[in-house]
């Protein structure tokens, strides 16, 4: 009989430490037949959840502890007065009682000026589904944001599975090549081409199917540390098509560069195309692609955004930032500009093109 202080169990999970996650994960999936349920973070996995034979196991790289932990997910944790959060078995095994679906915790932005290396100079790692990752904002602005440059060098079918992200914001910009993807309630699979982007609203199920050789995308996620969950019960594409469906207050967006219109940007000498992400997120974030249309004046600007991220898609420029030296930027480099810090663009090549992501969408830019 289950006692009154431990009601509402939904699922059980055994947590096991491992020194090397890749080797241990391969043993459970390839040799024993377990399958991956969740893995995170995508750019450098340290936690993986596998299931099989009625058992779910969470593998944690670099953790210590024996004889292990059993984690019970509860739907009404803390409903009873004085309910325990942890129990201990006679053999020392810890029984952790956790929320079945805890709320997403958003860290506060810790603003700093960040300038990434070029693609050729950067260190790349292997992330989820064998894709190559490099971190464009290593300090993550206090955990608020992760910006990843992702590559699939060889192309062809991608060993992905239907999955979703527990996240506040996530977008994908196709930088080079093409990728075929499919999304829940958004119709049949489609090709995302260079210059296109999508907004992946929270918890929308999706899958990467195949790509061209040399595919490169830029992925922006908020918060930085979020979980990717597999969904083996849902087949994509779904039989229904609901393009206006709300996913936690956001709509799916597919922005196609070929059909986009251009308008003046916030910086003189540039115009931009808006992706529609501002409207789809209710003003949470904006995503724009800016291009030079004439020689910009050599003046400084300040902005009041919570966070402003930019990636050089094409061309080159000299970035001037108050309190820092001037920096020459080439394609593949990214930077974050804190609020109220004077900055300016000079030496802009005629083919200069920038990807800009801002939180929130409504922010002001003023001349210094």
């Amino acid at each position: 009989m289950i006692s009154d202080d431990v009601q509402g169990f939904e699922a059980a999970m055994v947590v096991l430490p491992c020194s090397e996650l890749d080797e241990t994960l391969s043993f459970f999936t390839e040799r024993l037949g377990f399958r991956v349920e969740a893995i995170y973070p995508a750019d450098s996995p340290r936690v993986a959840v596998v299931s099989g034979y009625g058992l779910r196991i969470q593998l944690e790289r670099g953790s210590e502890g024996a004889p292990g932990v059993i984690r019970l997910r509860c739907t009404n944790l803390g409903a009873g007065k004085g309910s325990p959060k942890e129990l201990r078995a006679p053999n020392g095994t810890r029984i952790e009682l956790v929320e079945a679906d805890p709320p997403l915790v958003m860290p506060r932005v810790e603003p700093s000026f960040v300038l990434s290396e070029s693609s050729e100079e950067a260190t790349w790692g292997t992330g989820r589904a064998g894709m190559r990752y490099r971190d464009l904002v290593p300090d993550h602005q206090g955990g608020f944001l992760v910006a990843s440059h992702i590559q699939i060098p060889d192309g062809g079918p991608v060993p992905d599975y239907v999955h979703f992200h527990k996240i506040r914001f996530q977008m994908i910009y196709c930088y080079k090549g093409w990728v075929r993807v499919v999304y829940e309630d958004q119709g049949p699979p489609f090709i995302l081409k260079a210059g296109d982007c999508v907004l992946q609203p929270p918890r929308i199920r999706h899958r990467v199917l195949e790509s061209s050789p040399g595919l490169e995308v830029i992925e922006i996620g908020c918060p930085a540390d979020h979980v990717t969950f597999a969904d083996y019960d849902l087949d994509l594409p779904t039989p229904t098509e609901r393009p206006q469906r709300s996913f936690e207050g956001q709509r799916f967006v597919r922005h196609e560069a070929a059909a986009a219109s251009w308008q003046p940007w916030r910086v003189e000498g540039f115009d931009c195309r808006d992706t529609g992400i501002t409207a789809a997120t209710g003003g949470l974030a904006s995503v724009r692609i800016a291009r030079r249309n004439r020689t910009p004046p050599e003046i400084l600007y300040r902005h009041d955004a919570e966070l402003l991220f930019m990636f050089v898609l094409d061309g080159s420029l000299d970035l001037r930032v108050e309190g820092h030296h001037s920096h020459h930027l080439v394609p593949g480099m990214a930077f974050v500009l804190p609020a109220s810090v004077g900055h300016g663009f000079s030496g802009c090549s005629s083919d200069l093109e920038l990807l800009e992501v801002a939180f929130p969408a409504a922010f002001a830019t003023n001349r210094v």
Side-chain angles (χ1 to χ4, degrees), residues 213-236:
L215 170 71
E216 298 187 31
V217 303
I218 307 302
E219 179 181 282
I220 308 295
C222 173
D225 200 358
H226 59 268
V227 184
T228 298
F229 291 94
D231 188 341
Y232 293 106
D233 297 324
L234 182 71
D235 291 327
L236 294 179

Side-chain angles (χ1 to χ4, degrees), residues 16-24 45-46 59-64:
L16 300 177
C18 59
S19 57
E20 295 294 336
L21 181 59
D22 286 348
E23 181 179 359
T24 306
R46 64 175 184 272
L59 304 171
E60 297 188 350
R61 172 169 56 86
S63 62
E64 298 179 355

Side-chain angles (χ1 to χ4, degrees), residues 141-161:
Q141 302 287 286
F144 183 86
L145 169 138
V146 60
S148 301
H149 186 179
I150 305 172
Q151 291 183 339
I152 302 181
D154 297 332
V158 176
D160 197 14
Y161 39 82

Side-chain angles (χ1 to χ4, degrees), residues 14-18 20-37 48-53 55-60:
V14 175
V15 179
L16 300 177
C18 59
E20 295 294 336
L21 181 59
D22 286 348
E23 181 179 359
T24 306
L25 183 58
S26 294
F27 174 84
F28 275 92
T29 56
E30 298 176 10
R31 186 171 180 181
L32 299 183
F34 281 72
R35 65 182 187 180
V36 175
E37 282 196 1
V49 178
V50 297
S51 65
Y53 321 112
L55 178 65
R56 300 173 73 240
I57 299 173
Q58 179 160 310
L59 304 171
E60 297 188 350

Side-chain angles (χ1 to χ4, degrees), residues 232-302:
Y232 293 106
D233 297 324
L234 182 71
D235 291 327
L236 294 179
T238 46
T240 56
E241 191 168 340
R242 295 189 289 168
Q244 298 303 313
R245 177 182 169 182
S246 174
F247 294 85
E248 298 191 2
Q250 299 182 31
R251 290 183 294 103
F252 173 80
V253 167
R254 176 188 176 189
H255 171 77
E256 297 180 84
S261 60
W262 294 82
Q263 58 197 42
W265 194 38
R266 61 182 183 85
V267 175
E268 296 179 46
F270 290 81
D271 53 16
C272 72
R273 53 184 168 97
D274 188 273
T275 60
I277 287 176
T278 295
T281 61
L284 172 65
S286 65
V287 178
R288 297 182 177 92
I289 294 84
R291 67 183 182 188
R292 182 196 133 157
N293 60 16
R294 65 183 185 278
T295 302
E298 294 195 10
I299 57 179
L300 295 181
Y301 297 89
R302 288 197 178 105

Side-chain angles (χ1 to χ4, degrees), residues 173-177 192-197 255-258 273 275 289 313 353:
Y173 179 89
C174 187
Y175 180 32
K176 297 180 181 180
L192 199 67
K193 301 176 183 178
D196 297 350
C197 75
H255 171 77
E256 297 180 84
R273 53 184 168 97
T275 60
I289 294 84
L313 297 167
E353 195 165 80

